[in-house]
Amino acid sequence: MQKKVNCGVNAGITAIRLFFLVVVSVLIASVLMILLYSIPTGIAFENAQGSLEMYGEERIDNWSGGAIYSRLSNNTDSLMIMHALYHPYDSRIENAFLTPRPNYGLSEPENLVQYLHREEPLFVSDYSYYWHGYLLYMIPALQLFNVGEIKVLMMYVQFILSMLVIYELGKRSKTYMWLYSVVALFINPVTTVMTFQNADIYCIMMIFMIIILKYNDWFKENNRYLYLFTLNGIVVAFADYLTYPLVAYGVPLITVLLINDHKF
């Protein structure tokens, strides 16, 4: 009886901690978004203009010519760039939580091109039902680089993360290493490099896999995996934008099961 009571108390404490983890994360995310929208956009706008041709008439919509897994999300990438640049409201809080973009009644790449040509938009469109956490890297990066250069940097990041995941898996089992390679090829690392939209979940997935592979023994104690996967969901909800969020949860979870012999 005492054991059941203790289990119930521990479960209650864990639930409270998880609740506060979510609440604190919401507060931190809110502050981060307001700070991001406090950064001036002049330099970022000029840098984005340096990659204008990427979203003009000569843009590439499919890098292989027709295969479905090589289709690029130019529409969403254009939205992401416009969200990073367009701050029409006087209030930073309004800009941060409404996430506006200029609208010319055209496709999103065409809207972006019109905006980078400094055309006056027909109206403002808000996109307030996403956190748009990708702006955490997009806004600062545009202060230093144009869009094409940011994609090159993303390629470096993804390559290093991939090598770390494969290395950590290889230390445990060569089979896991090769199986992961198949998963990565299915996600298509070429497309994730060329499209911001597809890169975020891929990077989140790999970061959590590295954490799990390096610190599995520590996370197995005291329900710590509950906190890790709650944080995983928080990060996905913050950063994801119309993609494949289940992958960021499913692949790390499969990793946990594999390295613990399916007994966890």
Side-chain angles (χ1 to χ4, degrees), residues 95-128:
N95 285 320
F97 287 102
L98 294 178
T99 322
R101 69 186 189 278
N103 199 320
Y104 300 84
L106 305 169
S107 70
E108 300 308 341
E110 290 173 315
N111 283 338
L112 175 61
V113 170
Q114 291 292 316
Y115 179 61
L116 292 177
H117 279 133
R118 300 184 184 274
E119 298 290 337
E120 189 68 26
L122 297 178
F123 55 93
V124 176
S125 293
D126 296 330
Y127 216 133
S128 56

Side-chain angles (χ1 to χ4, degrees), residues 22-172:
V22 174
V23 171
V24 170
S25 297
V26 168
L27 295 175
I28 292 172
S30 300
V31 171
L32 286 174
M33 294 304 295
I34 293 169
L35 290 175
L36 287 171
Y37 273 91
S38 301
I39 298 174
T41 60
I43 296 174
F45 189 92
E46 292 177 4
N47 285 332
Q49 283 182 316
S51 297
L52 188 62
E53 73 283 352
M54 293 177 62
Y55 299 95
E57 294 181 358
E58 298 181 4
R59 72 176 180 271
I60 299 172
D61 291 318
N62 191 311
W63 60 263
S64 75
I68 187 170
Y69 289 113
S70 57
R71 187 180 301 153
L72 304 182
S73 299
N74 286 317
N75 272 14
T76 306
D77 274 14
S78 299
L79 286 171
M80 295 166 77
I81 296 166
M82 286 189 286
H83 292 321
L85 299 175
Y86 193 55
H87 303 175
Y89 301 124
D90 294 333
S91 168
R92 296 170 184 174
I93 295 175
E94 278 189 279
N95 285 320
F97 287 102
L98 294 178
T99 322
R101 69 186 189 278
N103 199 320
Y104 300 84
L106 305 169
S107 70
E108 300 308 341
E110 290 173 315
N111 283 338
L112 175 61
V113 170
Q114 291 292 316
Y115 179 61
L116 292 177
H117 279 133
R118 300 184 184 274
E119 298 290 337
E120 189 68 26
L122 297 178
F123 55 93
V124 176
S125 293
D126 296 330
Y127 216 133
S128 56
Y129 45 91
Y130 273 79
W131 272 98
H132 302 278
Y134 54 83
L135 295 174
L136 193 59
Y137 69 83
M138 182 76 74
I139 290 178
L142 280 171
Q143 300 294 318
L144 301 171
F145 309 102
N146 63 38
V147 176
E149 290 168 341
I150 296 173
K151 291 190 176 185
V152 172
L153 290 174
M154 292 290 283
M155 177 186 69
Y156 296 155
V157 171
Q158 291 174 46
F159 178 78
I160 292 169
L161 289 175
S162 296
M163 293 300 100
L164 287 173
V165 170
I166 291 171
Y167 172 73
E168 292 293 335
L169 285 171
K171 289 196 300 186
R172 294 175 179 272

